[in-house]
Amino acid sequence: PEKVPVLARALLQAVGRGHDNELYVLLADVLELDDHLEPLVQAVRVALGRHHQVLLVCPWPPGLPLPDSAPGVFTEDAPGAPAAPLPRNLLELLGQAATVTRFQDAYQRLRRRFAGLGVPVVCAASDEPTPLILNRLERLRSAGGKR
């Protein structure tokens, strides 16, 4: 939780130095920090109020199915699936299912929290971040050229 105020201060400092409309890409693991996000939310509001754009990219634990994929446990065909065979006992299987559910729920809560601000939250392990960042940069570039 200590990283949230540090990230918020860094964003506010960057916004204070920014002159043009800029894109701030935050690469931060804040998935399970629901109760500690308020400083970051406030800093994002400041950035958006000054006509900047913000994008939050979160890491994803290796071996877990990606958030937008169908819920489930570790499988051979899931993106980032471990090379190890599936667990053999029920307790291990239930533990893995609980882990998947916990992370996927945390990701959805984070997306909902920032969606109200118009800030996309994407998973670093997916194919989403790169095209989204490039698209946002292109939009900023084209908007800047029309002045």
Side-chain angles (χ1 to χ4, degrees):
E2 297 83 22
K3 65 183 148 195
V4 175
V6 172
L7 181 60
R9 275 192 307 276
L11 178 59
L12 289 173
Q13 287 174 350
V15 166
R17 290 188 207 121
H19 299 290
D20 298 328
N21 296 345
E22 305 203 21
L23 172 63
Y24 295 101
V25 179
L26 306 176
L27 305 168
D29 184 4
V30 292
L31 275 176
E32 296 186 297
L33 300 177
D34 298 339
D35 297 336
H36 306 280
L37 289 176
E38 199 52 39
L40 182 58
V41 169
Q42 292 300 322
V44 167
R45 282 191 179 122
V46 169
L48 297 173
R50 294 191 180 171
H51 306 289
H52 298 296
Q53 292 185 32
V54 179
L55 173 66
L56 180 58
V57 181
C58 292
W60 194 250
L64 292 183
L66 293 176
D68 295 329
S69 64
V73 295
F74 302 101
T75 61
E76 302 265 338
D77 56 348
L86 291 175
R88 293 196 178 124
N89 66 46
L90 182 60
L91 186 57
E92 211 174 318
L93 195 60
L94 289 174
Q96 288 178 352
T99 299
V100 169
T101 300
R102 189 179 93 230
F103 275 98
Q104 295 217 355
D105 288 349
Y107 181 76
Q108 294 307 324
R109 285 192 310 273
L110 190 64
R111 287 185 83 164
R112 278 193 299 275
R113 180 89 184 257
F114 283 93
L117 300 172
V119 173
V121 175
V122 294
C123 176
S126 72
D127 294 333
E128 284 181 277
T130 304
L132 185 58
I133 293 168
L134 293 175
N135 181 301
R136 293 287 173 122
L137 285 172
E138 186 57 38
R139 284 185 6 202
L140 284 173
R141 240 184 260 129
S142 64
K146 293 180 182 177
R147 290 185 204 179

